[in-house]
Amino acid sequence: MNSGRFVVFEGPDGAGKTTAMTAVAGRLRETGREVVQTREPGGSTGAEAMRSLLMTETLQHAPVLSQLLLITAARVDHLDTTILPAIQRGAVVLCDRYVDSSYIYQCRLGGVPLDVLDQLNTLLKIRMPDLRLFFELPAAVALSRMTARAEKNRFDLHNEERWLELADAYRWRAEQAPETVRRVNAALSLEEVVTQCWEHIHESG
Ligand code: TYD
């Protein structure tokens, strides 16, 4: 595994993907690899500015299609200025959420036809990940982690029903586009989760 790689971490809130991603990045760096840790929406100066806009009250109420177009605009900036140059240098890019989140949040849950996003991705030549790690866990585990992180209010905002809907949408996406998906049992300890990610990264290339 010495050429550039593009690995994304996906999963519902409370799955622990950000913590696991940071630990995986540390282990990869110990082997001498250059690792670029990034996230979506965001990950570059322009894309972070678009993320701030997306998080405003006004944009939260915009049509979902407008949100998707802005997320895609941010993705183009992120790809051009952060992801693609890093892959070309031979780095491993670890990204917290990517196109699967758009298929899940804007298409499956938000009602934008899948075909719109498929076509946008094709037209804009959006680089697809080499590996997509899907974090799976029961609602009760996610809830207790979010409570421990004092994010209870945020969870309340989305509520358990919404969380279950999201987890279901992740299962749908994993079945609908399974090619580079590897499932991660995110209910286990951080160390065991990191080991699963590590094995998937090594097995996939
Ligand atoms: P963030 O606080 O980064 O979420 P998390 O910590 O759970 O990763 O917020 C990102 C939000 O953006 C999250 O609610 C999912 C949403 N999102 C989309 O709706 N579509 C997308 O394409 C992406 C990348 C994220």
Side-chain angles (χ1 to χ4, degrees):
M1 193 192 60
N2 286 313
S3 50
R5 300 289 307 287
F6 182 23
V7 179
V8 304
F9 290 65
E10 291 279 1
D13 295 334
K17 35 183 195 0
T18 313
T19 313
M21 194 176 103
T22 303
V24 171
R27 268 178 82 164
L28 280 166
R29 286 191 184 105
E30 279 168 20
T31 69
R33 290 301 301 256
E34 183 196 352
V35 180
V36 173
Q37 249 182 290
T38 188
R39 67 165 183 182
E40 287 219 340
S44 62
T45 310
E48 287 291 334
M50 292 182 230
R51 178 190 174 101
S52 302
L53 193 56
L54 272 164
M55 301 293 171
T56 59
E57 184 77 16
T58 310
L59 265 290
Q60 294 281 313
H61 293 106
V64 183
L65 180 57
S66 302
Q67 296 175 1
L68 176 65
L69 293 172
L70 187 51
I71 289 167
T72 305
R75 184 163 296 136
V76 169
D77 191 290
H78 187 205
L79 271 170
D80 280 6
T81 61
T82 305
I83 300 174
L84 296 178
I87 295 172
Q88 270 158 18
R89 289 197 304 274
V92 183
V93 177
L94 303 180
C95 188
D96 196 340
R97 300 187 180 280
Y98 193 62
V99 284
D100 291 302
S101 283
S102 302
Y103 280 103
I104 290 160
Y105 288 83
Q106 282 68 48
C107 297
R108 181 72 169 179
L109 303 175
V112 174
L114 277 184
D115 191 38
V116 170
L117 185 50
D118 282 341
Q119 292 205 36
L120 266 177
N121 288 338
T122 306
L123 273 172
L124 302 174
K125 299 186 173 61
I126 298 296
R127 165 71 147 91
M128 290 301 153
D130 301 310
L131 174 66
R132 295 136 69 213
L133 298 171
F134 273 44
F135 281 43
E136 295 181 342
L137 77 174
V141 180
L143 172 61
S144 70
R145 282 189 189 157
M146 292 168 82
T147 309
R149 285 200 321 234
E151 283 189 23
K152 193 161 188 334
N153 289 341
R154 185 171 152 182
F155 192 82
D156 283 346
L157 210 67
H158 292 287
N159 73 51
E160 187 168 350
E161 202 182 314
R162 162 93 178 145
W163 192 95
L164 289 170
E165 217 184 330
L166 196 54
D168 192 56
Y170 269 100
R171 279 189 290 276
W172 160 82
R173 179 65 186 157
E175 279 163 26
Q176 195 240 348
E179 315 79 35
T180 48
V181 171
R182 294 290 177 278
R183 294 189 154 119
V184 172
N185 179 349
L188 302 177
S189 69
L190 174 63
E191 200 185 311
E192 287 167 303
V193 171
V194 171
T195 300
Q196 290 175 72
C197 296
W198 185 259
E199 283 168 2
H200 287 317
I201 290 171
H202 283 273
E203 276 162 18
S204 70

